[in-house]
Amino acid sequence: MKTGFSCCCPSLIPSRETARFYLLFVLIALYMLAGAAVFSSLERQAELQAHQLWERRLKDFSQDHNISGEDLRCLLGHYEEARTAGIRAERGRALWDIPGAFYFVGTVVSTIGFGVTAPSTVTGKVLLVFYGLLGCSATILFFNLFLERVVALLSFLVCWCHRRRTGGDGLDGRAREANRNEEWKPSVYQVTLILFVAVLLVACGAASLYAAMEGWTYLESLYFCFVAFSTVGFGDFVSGQREYHEDSRVYQVANCLLMLLGVCCTYSLFNAISVIIKQGLNWILRTLAWMYSA
């Protein structure tokens, strides 16, 4: 019966690529629903408490300074508009001088997008669309080439270690090595492990620097490193924005280099993990096919 149905309606049976796409979509949706449930249970109560505290502070401030709540909310609305132009309650470094603008375009082309700086002019917003289109594309290409160089370096190291272990010399040995080069390429699991260690080392080193320069705790610095290096960019923590950082040229350069290195390594790690996920999806599809045919 199953065979007859398959022969009569071949178009209803999706290809392996299509089945993998649908399966991945379902798993991502379930993953997002589970994450939403977990984070809602963790953060919702804190959000409600923050709202209650804010309303109480507004009421107390209005009463203490004899200001109407409407006038106070109007002032706060103007301040929210001013934040778009870079105005902060605590004075920070200049946002649109050359170093500040360079930091901004770095967050654009790397797709981090902290949201601390954003163009306020119409011309700047229109230009950003085309600037980001080309810049993000070129940066993604750079990240892919970086991953290729990492894999090539690991392949060289694996082959070199194998030659040292086997001690292959002479023309015959070299010919055999040339024929077996393909067999000694690193597996995706080896690449993933090495990239994970690299990301961990860069993040730990960068967190030490940020904890010292930004006044954050080490845990907050590690959190910032993940948010920045993964290009999530919430904007709750942003490095290099304090006023005294404007004169710290060495720190500004180190910050940019750490961002670039961290994003490259993390993007490469994500690519390697995606290959493992793809292998897992193939295993699930083979298992489902075997169960269906049984």
Side-chain angles (χ1 to χ4, degrees):
M1 184 67 182
K2 294 178 182 177
T3 306
F5 179 79
S6 300
C7 294
C8 295
C9 304
S11 61
L12 297 180
I13 302 176
S15 64
R16 177 174 291 273
E17 293 294 328
T18 303
R20 185 168 55 204
F21 172 79
Y22 289 140
L23 177 60
L24 181 59
F25 174 81
V26 171
L27 291 177
I28 290 176
L30 294 175
Y31 188 76
M32 293 174 64
L33 288 173
V38 171
F39 283 106
S40 178
S41 65
L42 290 174
E43 302 293 337
R44 179 57 177 166
Q45 189 61 34
E47 179 190 18
L48 294 176
Q49 292 175 356
H51 276 287
Q52 294 172 0
L53 178 61
W54 177 245
E55 293 296 333
R56 188 165 62 250
R57 286 176 173 173
L58 283 179
K59 183 178 179 180
D60 294 342
F61 188 88
S62 298
Q63 293 175 352
D64 294 342
H65 295 82
N66 196 22
I67 302 175
S68 67
E70 183 179 352
D71 291 339
L72 181 57
R73 292 181 185 277
C74 182
L75 176 63
L76 293 173
H78 291 315
Y79 174 69
E80 289 181 354
E81 293 177 357
R83 283 182 63 88
T84 305
I87 306 300
R88 298 293 183 270
E90 179 183 354
R91 182 175 175 82
R93 52 153 297 148
L95 298 180
W96 290 109
D97 59 354
I98 294 300
F102 185 82
Y103 188 85
F104 165 72
V105 297
T107 63
V108 171
V109 300
S110 63
T111 71
I112 295 177
F114 287 123
V116 174
T117 311
S120 57
T121 63
V122 176
T123 304
K125 292 176 180 178
V126 173
L127 177 63
L128 179 62
V129 174
F130 299 98
Y131 184 87
L133 182 64
L134 179 60
C136 292
S137 302
T139 306
I140 290 175
L141 174 61
F142 176 81
F143 292 159
N144 290 329
L145 294 177
F146 176 84
L147 179 58
E148 291 179 6
R149 297 302 181 276
V150 170
V151 174
L153 177 61
L154 293 179
S155 300
F156 171 79
L157 292 176
V158 169
C159 292
W160 182 80
C161 292
H162 176 66
R163 282 199 301 269
R164 291 293 298 268
R165 187 170 61 251
T166 58
D169 293 322
L171 294 176
D172 292 340
R174 272 178 255 172
R176 284 195 301 269
E177 288 298 322
N179 293 332
R180 297 182 60 185
N181 272 343
E182 293 295 324
E183 301 177 9
W184 292 100
K185 285 187 176 180
S187 68
V188 65
Y189 303 101
Q190 293 173 323
V191 174
T192 302
L193 178 60
I194 292 175
L195 287 173
F196 176 77
V197 172
V199 169
L200 195 61
L201 291 175
V202 173
C204 290
S208 300
L209 176 64
Y210 293 135
M213 295 297 297
E214 302 289 346
W216 302 333
T217 66
Y218 191 75
L219 183 61
E220 289 173 339
S221 300
L222 281 176
Y223 164 80
F224 166 76
C225 288
F226 172 78
V227 170
F229 296 168
S230 63
T231 72
V232 175
F234 292 126
D236 49 350
F237 290 92
V238 182
S239 61
Q241 300 303 302
R242 300 181 185 273
E243 186 177 11
Y244 61 83
H245 289 156
E246 197 162 0
D247 298 325
S248 305
R249 300 299 181 186
V250 176
Y251 174 64
Q252 292 181 31
V253 174
N255 185 29
C256 292
L257 292 178
L258 284 173
M259 288 283 186
L260 178 62
L261 181 60
V263 172
C264 283
C265 293
T266 306
Y267 179 87
S268 301
L269 177 62
F270 287 166
N271 271 340
I273 293 176
S274 68
V275 175
I276 297 177
I277 293 175
K278 186 176 180 180
Q279 293 177 350
L281 293 174
N282 290 335
W283 178 83
I284 293 175
L285 290 175
R286 286 195 302 268
T287 303
L288 292 176
W290 175 79
M291 294 173 61
Y292 178 78
S293 60

